[in-house]
Amino acid sequence: MAFLTAISSNENIVLHKHLNNGFSLPPRTSFSHRLNIICMKTQPTHVAKSSISQSLQAQELVSPKPSNLVFPEFNFYEYMKMKAKMVNKALDEAVPLQTPIKIHEAMRYSLLAGGKRVRPVLCLASCEIVGGEESMAIPMACSVEMINTMTIIHDDLPCMDNDDLRRGKPTNHKVFGEETAILAGDALLSLSFEHVAAKTPRNVSPERVVQAISELGSAVGSQGLVAGQMLDIASEGKQVSLEELEYIHVHKTSKLLEASVVCGAILGGGHVIDVERLRKYARCIGVLFQVVDDILDVTKSSEELGKTAGKDLESDKATYPKLLGLDKAKEFAGELYRFRYLLESYFDASKAAPLCHLANYIAHRQN
């Protein structure tokens, strides 16, 4: 299986050609039932479950089939560059350097440290795939990146993962001190909700703004990201089952990626059926992000990753390579990658191309 294949940034990729050079799609294995469990755990916050069950065939969400759809030519790297530039500008404006200077310096230090802006771009792309305009989701895109940055700042603290390096730079607490780092994360979390509530344009209905905020809050709180982080901490040095590992990954990493996609679709005016299709895609792509992260941690150097390599092994954390072995972890990543077919099957090809390429990027990223 080709895994994490390096792709030239100069390529103007045609999706159907590139997919043949990425993950191979393995025959159905014992992982299939794990995928079913992961997908069916979704609990939409903005619509009654009964209305979804009446509208959707469960099979289409659990076992997506390959399609023969050929996507139009699409320059993914230019798209990512353009969207990241837009998001960076919006983030810079959202957190100006003001009094108290130190706390805003700390917030900006981590928020503007770079990165591919995967979560904000997922938010924008999902807004557009359902027919919305980019401007409808820019505040939410900033908000999910603020929350992601908060998690990074807090995860790196000595009381958590105790890391010294992030995105190739000293971690926040190493530069500003632990007290300021904690407050900077708190301030970003608070600002994220204020920002989406105050800055979402008026052509988005208040009802949809509230739905999106509810979705985002659920993803971050004690039933979402925090829950995953708690079990992750509790699992250090202990034998953890595959089910417990899935719970960690679904909540700690996948939930925020899922919220990025779902919130973008809600704000873009997406029908509930399309929103839930996108939720299933995002859930599996979110788990894929963490599985790849686990694999990179044991196969790449600190210089290649831009953060300390081997931390999971050193702290004896539960990971897919640890529980399944490296080859089986890669195989499971390939199964998760299959869920891009949800986009190919149900959405306009030109609008689906960014999200399909984002799935490919997540699968093949090098850091």
Side-chain angles (χ1 to χ4, degrees):
M1 176 186 298
F3 181 72
L4 299 174
T5 307
I7 304 167
S8 169
S9 60
N10 296 323
E11 286 181 308
N12 186 20
I13 304 174
V14 180
L15 182 62
H16 74 282
K17 290 181 180 178
H18 180 64
L19 291 180
N20 292 331
N21 296 324
F23 276 127
S24 61
L25 294 176
R28 290 292 179 178
T29 68
S30 59
F31 291 131
S32 295
H33 77 285
R34 305 308 324 157
L35 291 172
N36 293 357
I37 292 171
I38 288 170
C39 286
M40 299 312 291
K41 283 178 181 175
T42 56
Q43 296 184 355
T45 60
H46 63 283
V47 66
K49 289 183 186 179
S50 59
S51 65
I52 296 175
S53 62
Q54 291 169 5
S55 302
L56 289 177
Q57 293 290 329
Q59 187 66 19
E60 80 173 43
L61 297 179
V62 177
S63 301
K65 305 300 183 188
S67 72
N68 295 320
L69 184 62
V70 177
F71 279 82
E73 193 166 310
F74 179 75
N75 192 323
F76 173 68
Y77 292 101
E78 279 302 312
Y79 177 87
M80 287 294 290
K81 183 179 178 181
M82 176 186 67
K83 295 295 188 185
K85 183 177 180 180
M86 182 186 310
V87 169
N88 287 336
K89 182 177 183 294
L91 289 170
D92 185 38
E93 294 171 353
V95 188
L97 190 57
Q98 57 188 324
T99 306
I101 295 296
K102 186 175 182 181
I103 190 65
H104 288 94
E105 282 181 337
M107 293 164 69
R108 288 171 60 84
Y109 176 82
S110 294
L111 186 64
L112 304 178
K116 298 293 185 182
R117 305 303 189 194
V118 171
R119 293 162 188 82
V121 177
L122 281 167
C123 182
L124 298 176
S126 65
C127 176
E128 293 174 325
I129 200 175
V130 297
E133 298 175 0
E134 185 178 74
S135 59
M136 296 175 171
I138 279 286
M140 178 60 77
C142 290
S143 294
V144 297
E145 189 61 27
M146 290 176 191
I147 291 173
N148 181 52
T149 302
M150 175 274 293
T151 67
I152 287 171
I153 293 172
H154 286 180
D155 280 354
D156 290 337
L157 288 167
C159 63
M160 301 287 275
D161 287 348
N162 191 24
D163 219 331
D164 298 337
L165 191 67
R166 175 70 68 168
R167 290 172 175 168
K169 299 171 62 177
T171 48
N172 197 288
H173 68 276
K174 285 293 180 180
V175 177
F176 297 97
E178 290 181 37
E179 299 89 344
T180 300
I182 292 170
L183 291 174
D186 293 345
L188 285 168
L189 177 61
S190 176
L191 179 60
S192 68
F193 291 97
E194 176 188 346
H195 189 72
V196 72
K199 300 298 183 180
T200 300
R202 293 187 177 182
N203 62 335
V204 180
S205 71
E207 291 79 11
R208 285 190 177 269
V209 176
V210 170
Q211 288 171 6
I213 290 174
S214 176
E215 186 80 32
L216 187 61
S218 174
V220 179
S222 62
Q223 295 296 306
L225 192 152
V226 171
Q229 183 70 34
M230 280 299 301
L231 186 56
D232 191 31
I233 293 170
S235 72
E236 291 185 18
K238 297 180 181 178
Q239 284 293 114
V240 173
S241 68
L242 186 57
E243 289 77 10
E244 289 170 322
L245 182 61
E246 281 170 358
Y247 184 95
I248 292 170
H249 281 356
V250 165
H251 290 76
K252 183 181 177 182
T253 302
S254 182
K255 276 285 191 178
L256 188 55
L257 277 160
E258 180 184 325
S260 301
V261 170
V262 171
C263 288
I266 292 171
L267 295 171
H271 188 279
V272 61
I273 296 176
D274 287 335
V275 171
E276 294 311 311
R277 283 172 177 150
L278 288 167
R279 183 190 298 278
K280 302 298 181 181
Y281 154 84
R283 173 64 60 91
C284 283
I285 296 305
V287 176
L288 173 62
F289 189 97
Q290 185 60 55
V291 174
V292 172
D293 213 52
D294 287 354
I295 294 168
L296 290 173
D297 189 68
V298 297
T299 59
K300 297 291 182 179
S301 67
S302 297
E303 291 73 22
E304 290 172 309
L305 293 179
K307 61 180 181 179
T308 307
K311 289 290 291 184
D312 294 339
L313 187 63
E314 181 181 325
S315 58
D316 198 23
K317 278 192 175 181
T319 65
Y320 273 102
K322 179 182 176 181
L323 287 188
L324 300 176
L326 189 57
D327 288 341
K328 283 291 185 182
K330 291 178 181 179
E331 186 179 346
F332 186 51
E335 287 282 1
L336 290 163
Y337 185 48
R338 188 189 294 269
F339 271 72
R340 71 189 183 279
Y341 289 133
L342 282 174
L343 304 179
E344 297 181 31
S345 301
Y346 298 108
F347 295 96
D348 176 79
S350 61
K351 291 181 179 179
L355 284 176
C356 283
H357 277 284
L358 275 160
N360 186 70
Y361 165 75
I362 288 169
H364 297 87
R365 64 195 177 92
Q366 299 296 301
N367 53 37

